[in-house]
Amino acid sequence: AEREQASKSLAMMAKESEEHKRRIASLEADREQVSKSLAMVAKESEEHKQRIASLEAKLVSMRSAVVTTKAELRQQIDCNRDSKAALSTSEDLRTKAESKHGESMQRIARLEASLSTSDSLRTKAESKQTESMQRIAHLEASLASTESARKREEAKRIA
């Protein structure tokens, strides 16, 4: 009877051991999937950082161009004013100078609109990076939970 009881106990322990092995294999597969997801998120995050850096560089370049253009336009406006004063007797020349001034103001408006678009793109890229970082944090928490479950399973198996 003891031998039969021991045999039943061994069979049950073998069955439990197989269940533990399957559970550990499942947890390992989950862990591998989380690791792959983390790697993908890290890659996406790096791509977003590169895109943000590129957009920031473009923004700096555009701001520099706007500053330069504004200085040129101010100089052009000053020249137009000088021309208007010197040629005040000629209505035709004065009309042309005013037209140049209007074109300059339109160019400034276009450049400022372009700068606004660049700021919007940078803001969107920063938002994407924030989303990526939140996803990484979620995946890290999931990995930690999986690791904790695996350790509990191992502790149960050892016990």
Side-chain angles (χ1 to χ4, degrees):
E2 283 182 35
R3 201 178 278 169
E4 186 178 316
Q5 183 63 31
S7 179
K8 285 180 182 179
S9 289
L10 282 174
M12 183 168 285
M13 287 173 67
K15 183 180 177 183
E16 287 177 358
S17 177
E18 284 302 314
E19 287 176 18
H20 285 239
K21 286 178 184 176
R22 282 193 296 275
R23 180 66 180 143
I24 288 170
S26 173
L27 289 172
E28 289 295 333
D30 289 350
R31 180 178 167 206
E32 187 175 319
Q33 185 61 39
V34 169
S35 293
K36 287 179 184 177
S37 294
L38 281 173
M40 187 175 74
V41 169
K43 181 182 176 188
E44 289 174 359
S45 178
E46 187 58 35
E47 289 171 358
H48 289 158
K49 286 178 186 176
Q50 290 173 358
R51 180 73 176 136
I52 288 169
S54 172
L55 289 172
E56 286 175 344
K58 285 180 183 177
L59 181 62
V60 168
S61 174
M62 291 182 82
R63 283 182 176 159
S64 175
V66 167
V67 169
T68 301
T69 303
K70 280 184 176 180
E72 290 172 356
L73 292 174
R74 283 189 188 106
Q75 189 177 17
Q76 193 175 18
I77 290 168
D78 289 344
C79 286
N80 288 346
R81 259 191 238 118
D82 292 345
S83 294
K84 281 170 58 175
L87 303 171
S88 61
T89 57
S90 171
E91 186 65 28
D92 185 46
L93 291 175
R94 186 172 50 88
T95 301
K96 287 181 183 179
E98 288 173 351
S99 175
K100 288 270 186 195
H101 176 71
E103 290 171 9
S104 297
M105 295 309 286
Q106 288 173 354
R107 188 170 174 200
I108 287 172
R110 283 193 306 271
L111 287 170
E112 288 176 341
S114 177
L115 180 61
S116 175
T117 300
S118 293
D119 282 339
S120 175
L121 287 173
R122 182 182 53 77
T123 301
K124 285 178 184 178
E126 288 172 348
S127 175
K128 288 278 187 186
Q129 183 182 17
T130 300
E131 290 172 14
S132 292
M133 297 309 285
Q134 289 172 347
R135 186 170 173 199
I136 288 170
H138 174 72
L139 288 171
E140 287 174 343
S142 176
L143 179 60
S145 175
T146 300
E147 285 292 331
S148 176
R150 184 183 63 76
K151 286 180 182 177
R152 283 194 303 272
E153 288 294 330
E154 282 183 11
K156 285 180 185 177
R157 184 176 53 91
I158 291 170

